């Protein structure tokens, strides 16, 4: 198939927007006699005049050949083998053209069949992610009408949508991610396939899905993402307890408002990620608060009981599909429990606040800050605690405990 080719005068991607390291990698591969292009999200974002998160390179060179060309390359991945070319902390991902069986509706377990550049495009997920850019000729090479779809702001799978979702159900999560991030429309057959295949999401690797959820919490578009995930029925198979809770207005409203607050903050400080446990706590706190209020209606719970209930909630919400990493589970539980230390269930009168100077308590206070933005009546409590933290930080560090002098036994 002949691709459509768009020149600089049409696409207007200024050459200086291309990452210099990606450009260098492409040049070196070409000098060694291979084909190489910029591909995927980087090209898409440049055309949308957004700053790309990363630049990926697609090439005819095989992984071993790539490693032969770049001393700073390492090969990674089994399911999807590719090279990471490192420049300090920056990594350019270089993958070999692959052919995928794009029509058969079987779950893909490995994806390491080498192919032509056209085959490489056809195994990609959405048309807007299937564009090549050649930095030398400054041309966009389009086998799938992705350029026109970008102009139409349309999300469409490459190939038959149902087959593509069954092959790799994580693509459904990616569809919703792009929908939330760019506010694009979903092409009707792709949307129908999403509705038909949503239950298949449980056939995918839970680690990959979990990673996509966490990335979306970091993206600045988590509110529309989780909203769409719920609306299109994908949250239900993944996190059934949370999906059920979000049907209640009194839980849904504060949850989505809290997500809005985190999105606003993430957009401001892009590049400075917050702890992922803190971001997850946003998703769970309104549900947890209702549980605690309910359980403490007769007699207020103490912090030990609250901590126990937080563990119970985490087990119930994430199982059976996800396995919460142990460290994350522990921090999440502490953040959720500390909300009731910051604002106790029962007012204890004027007591001097003592804020521990540990990073997890800071995270708990960070969540409380978002809660106070949603519920302004919490603001004075938030101010009191930040002052207490500040004073704690100023006071000199406590001296190490003095060694007790052993008394000489009198003989
Ligand atoms: P982001 O901006 O979030 O990084 P992205 O589209 O660049 O979005 P990556 O995970 O970096 O996402 O993937 C790079 C490219 O690899 C995609 O643009 C797409 O062409 C292809 N790709 C990624 N995941 C899949 C998948 N599950 N199935 C098919 N192709 C995929
Ligand atoms: Mg990317």
């Amino acid at each position: 198939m002949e691709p459509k080719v768009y020149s600089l005068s049409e696409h207007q991607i200024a050459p200086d927007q291309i990452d210099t390291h990606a450009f260098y990698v492409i040049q070196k591969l070409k000098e060694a006699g291979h084909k190489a292009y910029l591909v995927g999200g980087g090209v898409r974002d440049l055309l949308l005049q957004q700053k790309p998160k990363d630049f990926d390179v697609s090439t005819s060179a095989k992984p071993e050949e790539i490693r032969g060309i770049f001393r700073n390359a390492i090969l990674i991945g089994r399911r999807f083998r590719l090279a990471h070319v490192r420049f300090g902390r920056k990594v350019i991902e270089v993958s070999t053209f692959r052919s995928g069986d794009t029509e058969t509706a079987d779950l893909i377990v490995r994806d390491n069949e080498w192919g032509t550049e056209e085959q490489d495009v056809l195994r990609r997920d959405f048309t807007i992610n299937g564009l090549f850019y050649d930095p030398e000729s400054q041309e966009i090479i389009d086998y799938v009408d992705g350029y026109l779809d970008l102009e139409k702001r349309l999300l469409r799978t490459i190939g038959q949508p149902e087959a593509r979702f069954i092959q790799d159900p994580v693509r459904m999560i990616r569809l919703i991610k792009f929908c939330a991030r760019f506010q694009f429309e979903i092409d009707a057959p792709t949307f129908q396939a999403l509705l038909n295949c949503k239950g298949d999401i449980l056939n995918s690797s839970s680690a990959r899905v979990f990673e996509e959820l966490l990335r979306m919490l970091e993206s600045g578009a988590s509110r529309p993402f989780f909203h769409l995930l719920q609306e299109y029925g994908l949250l239900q198979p993944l996190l059934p307890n949370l999906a059920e809770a979000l049907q209640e207005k009194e839980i849904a409203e504060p949850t989505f408002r809290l997500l809005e607050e985190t999105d606003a903050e993430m957009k401001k400080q892009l590049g400075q990620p917050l702890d992922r446990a803190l971001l997850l706590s946003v998703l769970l706190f309104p549900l947890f608060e209702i549980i605690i209020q309910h359980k403490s209606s007769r007699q207020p719970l103490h912090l030990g009981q609250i901590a126990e209930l937080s563990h119970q909630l985490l087990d119930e919400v994430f199982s059976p599909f996800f396995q919460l990493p142990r460290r994350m589970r522990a921090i999440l539980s502490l953040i959720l429990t500390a909300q009731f230390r910051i604002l106790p269930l029962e007012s204890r009168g004027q007591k001097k606040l003592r804020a521990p100077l540990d990073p997890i308590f800071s995270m708990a206070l960070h969540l409380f800050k978002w809660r106070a933005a949603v519920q302004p009546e919490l603001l004075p409590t938030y101010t009191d605690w930040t002052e207490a933290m500040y004073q704690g930080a100023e006071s000199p560090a406590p001296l190490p405990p003095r060694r007790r002098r052993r008394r000489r036994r009198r003989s």
Side-chain angles (χ1 to χ4, degrees):
M1 191 170 78
E2 278 302 304
K4 289 187 183 147
V5 177
Y6 297 88
S7 62
L8 174 64
S9 63
E10 291 163 287
H11 61 68
Q12 299 190 339
I13 295 178
D16 64 356
Q17 287 176 282
I18 310 295
D19 180 88
T20 47
H21 293 111
F23 191 84
Y24 166 81
V25 168
I26 291 176
Q27 241 179 352
K28 288 279 276 188
L29 286 163
K30 282 188 162 185
E31 278 166 20
H34 301 287
K35 287 186 167 182
Y37 301 104
L38 211 59
V39 71
V43 182
R44 175 199 68 215
D45 291 349
L46 285 174
L47 285 169
L48 290 171
Q49 290 171 352
Q50 298 194 1
K51 195 173 180 305
K53 261 196 331 202
D54 42 30
F55 285 91
D56 299 329
V57 171
S58 196
T59 177
S60 56
K62 309 282 177 330
E64 299 300 336
E65 292 172 322
I66 302 170
R67 194 164 55 182
I69 297 171
F70 301 99
R71 265 185 309 135
N72 44 343
I74 52 163
L75 302 185
I76 61 155
R78 247 159 59 92
R79 180 186 176 279
F80 195 98
R81 195 149 176 77
L82 51 82
H84 273 180
V85 185
R86 288 169 187 270
F87 301 91
R89 290 181 70 188
K90 191 199 286 164
V91 172
I92 304 290
E93 257 186 31
V94 185
S95 58
T96 308
F97 294 151
R98 283 165 164 73
S99 71
D101 184 355
T102 47
E103 294 310 319
T104 334
D106 286 328
L107 195 69
I108 299 176
V109 185
R110 281 206 189 151
D111 193 355
N112 287 325
E113 289 278 324
W114 312 136
T116 63
E117 66 175 61
E118 183 182 349
Q119 286 170 324
D120 187 70
V121 169
L122 296 182
R123 59 104 194 152
R124 288 176 184 274
D125 50 4
F126 301 102
T127 59
I128 60 165
N129 293 339
L131 297 169
F132 283 140
Y133 177 75
D134 179 344
E136 252 176 13
S137 68
Q138 296 176 12
E139 283 172 337
I140 299 255
I141 296 144
D142 181 3
Y143 287 93
V144 289
D145 279 341
Y147 191 89
L148 293 176
D149 283 347
L150 265 179
E151 281 186 340
K152 287 190 249 171
R153 305 173 66 79
L154 191 66
L155 290 163
R156 193 161 60 90
T157 55
I158 295 173
Q160 207 269 325
E162 258 180 51
R164 303 310 311 281
F165 288 154
I166 293 170
Q167 280 170 355
D168 181 2
V170 174
R171 290 174 186 150
M172 294 188 276
I173 306 277
R174 288 176 54 83
L175 175 68
I176 294 176
K177 142 172 146 173
F178 297 124
C179 197
R181 209 198 283 170
F182 304 127
Q183 291 107 43
F184 280 14
E185 282 211 14
I186 304 177
D187 192 42
T190 299
F191 187 62
Q192 191 53 50
L194 173 75
L195 300 182
N196 297 346
C197 301
K198 59 190 179 201
D200 277 75
I201 192 64
L202 297 181
N203 295 338
S204 52
S205 128
S206 68
R208 282 180 66 211
V209 177
F210 195 49
E211 180 60 29
E212 289 287 355
L213 299 189
L214 292 171
R215 280 199 209 165
M216 282 316 287
L217 284 168
E218 291 168 339
S219 71
S222 71
R223 191 223 173 261
F225 173 77
F226 281 98
H227 207 266
L228 290 173
L229 212 58
Q230 169 83 329
E231 193 179 328
Y232 297 158
L234 267 110
L235 197 62
Q236 205 284 328
L238 293 175
L239 298 165
N241 286 299
L242 183 65
E244 195 188 323
L246 289 179
Q247 306 219 345
E248 307 289 332
K249 200 165 159 234
E250 62 175 337
I251 298 177
E253 252 178 30
T255 306
F256 289 119
R257 277 288 292 114
L258 279 176
L259 287 173
E260 241 167 64
E261 287 302 320
T262 61
D263 283 345
E265 190 165 322
M266 295 311 290
K267 276 190 215 148
K268 261 191 270 159
Q269 56 167 49
L270 272 182
Q272 270 187 38
L274 294 174
D275 195 286
R276 288 175 151 193
L278 169 60
L279 293 170
L280 266 181
S281 73
V282 167
L283 208 51
L284 300 178
F285 181 73
L287 167 59
F288 188 54
E289 188 177 26
I290 292 282
I291 294 174
I292 298 298
Q293 278 169 359
H294 186 74
K295 298 241 184 217
S296 64
S297 55
R298 275 198 221 129
Q299 200 188 2
L301 304 167
H302 58 72
L303 282 177
Q305 291 168 311
I306 294 177
E308 213 168 285
L309 286 167
S310 75
H311 281 292
Q312 223 176 57
L313 173 83
L314 295 176
D315 291 343
E316 281 170 15
V317 165
F318 288 102
S319 63
F321 187 58
F322 295 107
Q323 266 207 323
L324 206 53
R326 249 200 295 172
R327 174 187 173 273
M328 196 179 262
R329 184 174 183 272
I331 299 180
L332 249 170
S333 159
L334 289 167
I335 294 175
L336 293 174
T337 306
Q339 299 308 303
F340 298 91
R341 175 167 175 197
I342 296 172
L343 186 65
L345 287 163
E346 258 191 334
S347 151
R348 305 217 182 96
Q350 282 294 325
K351 215 174 145 192
K352 187 166 165 26
L353 300 179
R354 274 202 289 155
L357 285 175
D358 77 274
I360 296 178
F361 190 77
S362 304
M363 285 188 225
L365 205 53
H366 204 135
L367 171 61
F368 196 83
K369 179 180 84 177
W370 288 327
R371 289 177 57 202
V374 175
Q375 276 175 277
E377 66 272 21
L378 303 182
L379 265 174
T381 311
Y382 174 68
T383 317
D384 290 348
W385 277 100
T386 40
E387 270 166 21
M389 284 279 272
Y390 187 64
Q391 278 160 11
E394 274 189 339
S395 63
L399 295 172
R402 252 200 282 162
R403 278 231 229 113
R404 278 217 200 121
R405 252 200 253 146
R406 284 227 191 103
R407 274 217 218 123
R408 283 232 186 106
R409 247 200 256 152
R410 282 194 197 148
S411 48

